[in-house]
């Protein structure tokens, strides 16, 4: 079932039923809170539109993205649900966003002013979520700057230029359950909401929870949760739990077909700089994926793949377009399937295994799968009688 689709060389096969199953589990966890499926960065590498539709099928009612272009692409595809885009530098095309009914974020007065200017230009009230920095020290207004941001937002609300649809913030340590900052950030967020309300703002949604907090910190759910990585069936981190612990199912399987096999003698140096040398006569197998396709160069001699039923470590340096696997005496031929990672059902490594091997997080493994690798979507949403 999870074999490659039409592409003969390589494919990231994404099972949208796994996305639906995972989102249904998140919606259940969210309880009374609504669920915003985060589909930024091309749906964490899984294909934004197909995954957005599958998430909506399964009960998500909002979509979240980082940047305006992503939000506009969702609208261009005909999706009409609330869409929130939270990252913009000065001078971005916010009028297009306001015209397309995209919810925008403001962490500072200049952002409110740019959104207000866009709203006046378009002749439409802009929906804004003002962001409090509750301890991540990334986006958001500091505690000191929060009251003046609320006052500026209240003034624009009184003019009907903006509508403060939300108050929000983001966690620093949600993937370390029980970390003291989680409780502290919930407390600061509650205070920020109180200050906003005292300023006269009436936000419709308060939201703070990413995947980890959606899964394990019900106190952080408020009105809306913003899971991302878990939409794609992956756990936000090993300390939170395994996907199965939460009813999540990893959606992506990255596969390729061998481009060449050959017998070589013992003592053969393999790939650039001969960082791998064969210890016996063996069969080398060439995999047509490289760092241009998102296979990290650091995976050389480190990460494993599944070939002919065996886990095999990548032999030597990962090149831009290809890498080599030592298949030993296995009978492998050009065209045979190799699985880099997947849900693990067939004994293949998982994205989490790759992350562990490389000292990174599974987010980076799936999101960096390159544009040259086609996404093959299984079980797409059928709308108006045709798959979309
Ligand atoms: C990416 C992101 C999320 C989703 O985080 P996950 O850990 O993938 O669930 C939520 N909110 C913001 C602001 C983000 O940048």
């Amino acid at each position: 079932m999870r074999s490659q689709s039409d592409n003969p060389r390589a494919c990231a096969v994404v099972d949208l039923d796994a996305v639906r199953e995972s989102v249904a589990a998140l919606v259940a966890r969210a309880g009374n809170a609504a669920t915003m499926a985060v589909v930024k960065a091309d749906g964490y590498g899984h294909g934004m539109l197909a995954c957005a539709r599958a998430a909506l099928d399964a009960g998500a009612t909002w979509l979240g993205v980082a940047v305006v272009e992503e939000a506009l692409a969702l609208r261009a595809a005909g999706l009409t649900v609330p869409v929130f885009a939270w990252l913009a530098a000065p001078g971005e095309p916010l009028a297009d966003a306001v015209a397309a009914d995209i919810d925008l974020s403001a962490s500072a007065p200049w952002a409110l002013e740019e959104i207000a200017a866009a709203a006046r230009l378009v002749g439409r009230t802009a929906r804004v979520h003002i962001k409090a920095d509750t301890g991540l020290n990334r986006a958001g207004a500091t505690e000191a700057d929060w009251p003046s941001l609320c006052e500026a937002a209240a003034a624009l609300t009184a003019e009907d230029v903006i509508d403060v649809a939300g108050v929000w913030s983001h966690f620093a340590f949600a993937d370390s359950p029980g970390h003291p900052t989680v409780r502290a950030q919930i407390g600061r967020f509650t205070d920020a909401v109180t200050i906003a309300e005292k300023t006269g703002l009436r936000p419709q949604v308060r939201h703070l929870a990413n995947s980890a907090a959606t899964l394990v910190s019900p106190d952080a759910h408020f009105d809306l949760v913003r899971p991302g990585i878990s939409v794609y069936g992956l756990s936000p981190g090993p300390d939170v739990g395994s996907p199965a612990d939460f009813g999540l199912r990893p959606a992506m399987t990255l596969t390729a077909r061998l481009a060449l096999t050959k017998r070589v003698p013992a003592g053969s140096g393999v790939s650039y700089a001969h960082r791998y040398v064969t210890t016996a006569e063996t069969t080398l197998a060439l995999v047509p994926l490289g760092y241009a396709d998102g296979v990290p160069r650091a995976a050389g001699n480190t990460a494993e793949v599944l070939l002919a039923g065996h886990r095999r470590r990548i032999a030597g340096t990962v090149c831009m377009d290809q890498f080599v696997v030592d298949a030993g005496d296995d009978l492998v031929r050009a065209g045979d399937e190799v699985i880099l990672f997947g849900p693990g059902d067939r004994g293949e490594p998982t994205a989490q295994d790759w992350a562990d091997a490389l000292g990174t997080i599974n987010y980076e493994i799936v999101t960096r799968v390159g544009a040259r690798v086609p996404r093959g979507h299984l079980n797409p949403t059928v709308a108006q009688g045709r798959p979309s």
Side-chain angles (χ1 to χ4, degrees), residues 38 40 44 86 138 168 170 210-211 226-229 363:
V38 176
K40 63 188 179 186
Y44 290 47
W86 55 73
R138 199 174 72 177
W168 76 297
H170 195 46
N210 55 5
S211 290
R226 302 188 310 272
I229 194 72
Y363 297 63

Side-chain angles (χ1 to χ4, degrees), residues 184-254:
Q185 284 195 258
I186 294 172
R188 283 193 211 121
F189 184 64
T190 306
D191 294 345
V193 170
T194 303
I195 290 167
E197 286 171 346
K198 280 193 182 140
T199 318
L201 299 173
R202 294 288 169 269
Q204 296 136 41
V205 288
R206 303 158 296 161
H207 51 108
L208 177 58
N210 55 5
S211 290
T214 302
L215 294 172
V216 298
S217 302
D219 293 356
H221 288 177
F222 294 93
D223 305 308
L224 176 64
V225 296
R226 302 188 310 272
I229 194 72
S230 52
V231 164
Y232 310 97
L234 298 173
S235 167
D239 295 343
V240 178
S242 73
D245 292 340
F246 302 107
L248 306 174
R249 187 149 67 87
M252 185 192 287
T253 301
L254 181 60

Side-chain angles (χ1 to χ4, degrees), residues 30 36 78 88 139 248 296 315 321 388:
M36 174 190 293
L248 306 174
D321 317 299
S388 52

